[in-house]
Amino acid sequence: MLWTPLLCAVCCALVSGERYKPDWKSLDARPLPTWYDEVKFGLFVHWGVFSVPAFGSEWFWWYWKGALDPSYIQFMMKNYPPGFTYAEFAPQFNAQFFEPDYWAEVFEASGAKYVVFTTKHHEGFTNWGSPTSWNWNSVDNGPHRDLVGELGTAIRKRSLHYGLYHSLYEWFNPLYLKDKQSGFKTQEFVYTKVLPELVDLVTKYKPELIWSDGDWEAPDTYWNSTEFLAWLYNDSPVKDVIVVNDRWGNGTYCKHGGYYNCADKFTPSTMPKHKWEKCNSIDTYSWGYRRNIRLSDLMDLPTIIKDLVFTVTYGGNYLLNIGPTSDGMISPLFEERLRGVGAWLKVNGEAIYSTTPWRVQTENATVPVWYTSKGTAVYAIFHTRPMQYSFELSSPVTSDTTVVTLLGSSEPLKWAPLHSSGLIMLLPELPSSAAEAWAIKLDGVA
């Protein structure tokens, strides 16, 4: 049985006190690999059979056959013959224009440092030749290509970190439905499908991140999550670099795991006490591609940059999603947004990458300002062009050695202290920015 090595690893972990045990207390004590906190910005890619109907969202199959949503039923009645099944979409998921090296170039140009790619969504179709998903995978059906492997090779050529999204559950898998009917007292789906797939992904592709999902219906004990994570941390080929999120069973999110996603598009009002990530989608209505998308449905570049800055200011990582077309194209609308983020980061990335939260996250000075820090430097990022050339900050405490610069310019700015803290500076003519955001570097402040 494919799961046997994991059971052996767990037994070894129980014997050795130096190894992580299959319980949350032990697993949660594992330090987060440093690369994850340093990179700050990543890209999420939702791609699968749902990209063929490309209507509504990536939950198309569920809304059509599970929730019986009238809009989805009407869409199918208007556009497809009677009796058409979801499985018949798979051959049309052909990826004929998928060029992984081009995707990787776009991703690198966005300034992202890691990519999380969908290996399997809730529909169960796998984007690699999963040995436990016969004929419902991208090698036997649809593209007849190993999408996970091809993209991973291209991503790593550009020194980006490669992460894999994987859904634990599958809406209509008979084995899962059988376990569900038992009240999750049986685990046939877990032992014959879920865990062998996860082990296969880890050993074959050696991801640096696993983005688990589909956790909410069953407890982590059903998924055997702690046993899998103990193997992952102790004995897997990626044990020293792997990062995982918090979606490992009903009730675990925002509570257990390497970092916290909490809810989709999680936006905390105060500084979280644990490393976290905000995932957001350029298409505000869907994670997967929609053929009927409108320009007004998209996050514009200033909104994306503001969201990124807010997230990093509060100690999080920002994971920005796109949904490619079924034939493997990244929409020019998405590409334009990604390259726009990259252009801004090329100038201002110093205020984002490898930074830590400062003692003050934000203030409403001359204009609203968000702070990050790195070493002896503090960065003040603002999204509104001031109405005057003088610019005040009230939080930094200056000294005689303080140097103030505008990122993208080498000339120090003239400034003067204000009372017990704060300073006033003279801004130069701010460069035009499609992102409508600029960053001030304050070296030698407290």
Side-chain angles (χ1 to χ4, degrees):
M1 181 182 291
L2 288 172
W3 182 234
T4 301
L6 275 71
L7 292 177
C8 293
V10 171
C11 293
C12 292
L14 291 173
V15 172
S16 173
E18 297 180 358
R19 293 159 62 85
Y20 293 103
K21 298 178 182 179
D23 62 63
W24 287 119
K25 182 179 180 181
S26 177
L27 297 170
D28 289 342
R30 177 181 182 257
L32 189 72
T34 56
W35 74 262
Y36 181 76
D37 184 53
E38 292 172 352
V39 294
K40 304 300 181 186
F41 177 46
L43 295 181
F44 213 176
V45 183
H46 275 70
W47 201 30
V49 174
F50 51 80
S51 306
V52 176
F55 174 83
S57 79
E58 70 288 350
W59 280 55
F60 181 93
W61 195 7
W62 174 257
Y63 284 122
W64 175 32
K65 290 296 186 180
L68 303 178
D69 186 297
S71 63
Y72 289 76
I73 293 173
Q74 187 177 39
F75 172 81
M76 291 302 298
M77 291 176 63
K78 284 185 175 180
N79 296 285
Y80 295 90
F84 191 92
T85 65
Y86 190 78
E88 291 179 86
F89 282 126
Q92 300 174 53
F93 178 46
N94 53 47
Q96 60 185 338
F97 300 127
F98 173 49
E99 297 181 22
D101 287 319
Y102 183 72
W103 280 29
E105 187 276 321
V106 173
F107 297 162
E108 182 183 44
S110 76
K113 301 301 182 183
Y114 66 108
V115 176
V116 178
F117 181 62
T118 305
T119 65
K120 184 192 74 171
H121 201 256
H122 314 320
E123 64 188 13
F125 187 92
T126 68
N127 282 331
W128 87 103
S130 168
T132 60
S133 189
W134 180 81
N135 205 41
W136 194 233
N137 66 74
S138 67
V139 175
D140 295 336
N141 206 333
H144 296 286
R145 297 169 65 176
D146 178 0
L147 305 179
V148 175
E150 288 187 36
L151 184 60
T153 298
I155 289 292
R156 285 168 166 146
K157 285 180 184 176
R158 297 180 179 272
S159 300
L160 302 178
H161 298 275
Y162 193 38
L164 301 180
Y165 167 102
H166 175 270
S167 174
L168 294 169
Y169 93 138
E170 299 173 20
W171 291 312
F172 303 112
N173 189 300
L175 295 179
Y176 176 72
L177 296 178
K178 181 181 176 182
D179 285 352
K180 184 177 179 179
Q181 190 175 23
S182 77
F184 299 114
K185 294 178 181 178
T186 60
Q187 295 173 282
E188 187 176 359
F189 177 67
V190 175
Y191 282 115
T192 61
K193 186 71 161 64
V194 179
L195 294 176
E197 279 189 341
L198 281 168
V199 173
D200 189 51
L201 284 170
V202 171
T203 55
K204 187 174 293 182
Y205 303 110
K206 299 177 177 58
E208 294 170 86
L209 186 151
I210 295 178
W211 212 102
S212 183
D213 199 14
D215 58 306
W216 50 84
E217 288 193 348
D220 64 276
T221 51
Y222 167 73
W223 299 114
N224 276 14
S225 297
T226 56
E227 287 84 354
F228 169 72
L229 292 174
W231 169 79
L232 191 67
Y233 292 172
N234 289 322
D235 297 299
S236 79
V238 292
K239 62 185 178 64
D240 296 324
V241 297
I242 192 68
V243 171
V244 303
N245 66 343
D246 55 354
R247 300 185 183 189
W248 294 99
N250 185 21
T252 64
Y253 85 79
C254 239
K255 186 177 179 182
H256 296 299
Y259 68 90
Y260 296 166
N261 288 123
C262 303
D264 289 351
K265 305 184 180 182
F266 176 59
T267 306
S269 57
T270 58
M271 175 80 72
K273 296 180 180 180
H274 193 279
K275 181 63 186 181
W276 62 286
E277 176 187 74
K278 178 173 184 177
C279 57
N280 209 346
S281 185
I282 294 177
D283 178 355
T284 58
Y285 289 96
S286 177
W287 301 87
Y289 180 73
R290 294 185 301 131
R291 287 182 285 168
N292 58 336
I293 194 171
R294 297 179 180 179
L295 185 61
S296 60
D297 297 336
L298 303 181
M299 295 174 69
D300 61 22
L301 182 59
T303 300
I304 293 171
I305 296 298
K306 191 170 185 178
D307 209 26
L308 166 64
V309 170
F310 167 86
T311 301
V312 173
T313 292
Y314 280 83
N317 276 24
Y318 191 60
L319 189 64
L320 184 63
N321 177 76
I322 62 166
T325 66
S326 62
D327 52 14
M329 293 296 295
I330 297 174
S331 164
L333 292 172
F334 292 157
E335 183 176 343
E336 185 268 343
R337 295 292 192 276
L338 296 183
R339 292 189 184 276
V341 176
W344 186 82
L345 285 170
K346 193 171 184 179
V347 175
N348 300 285
E350 181 184 340
I352 299 295
Y353 303 124
S354 299
T355 59
T356 56
W358 195 45
R359 60 178 175 82
V360 175
Q361 279 67 65
T362 185
E363 68 171 66
N364 196 352
T366 308
V367 296
V369 172
W370 284 261
Y371 288 104
T372 61
S373 65
K374 185 191 306 179
T376 61
V378 172
Y379 302 90
I381 306 169
F382 53 102
H383 305 274
T384 304
R385 189 183 292 267
M387 298 299 292
Q388 64 280 336
Y389 287 106
S390 61
F391 189 69
E392 293 186 16
L393 297 174
S394 60
S395 299
V397 178
T398 62
S399 68
D400 292 340
T401 60
T402 297
V403 177
V404 182
T405 54
L406 175 71
L407 291 188
S409 173
S410 59
E411 291 296 321
L413 304 183
K414 294 181 179 179
W415 64 274
L418 290 174
H419 312 297
S420 58
S421 68
L423 70 157
I424 183 169
M425 68 191 80
L426 291 178
L427 288 178
E429 185 69 36
L430 293 175
S432 59
S433 169
E436 297 179 15
W438 302 266
I440 300 290
K441 180 180 181 180
L442 302 107
D443 209 351
V445 298

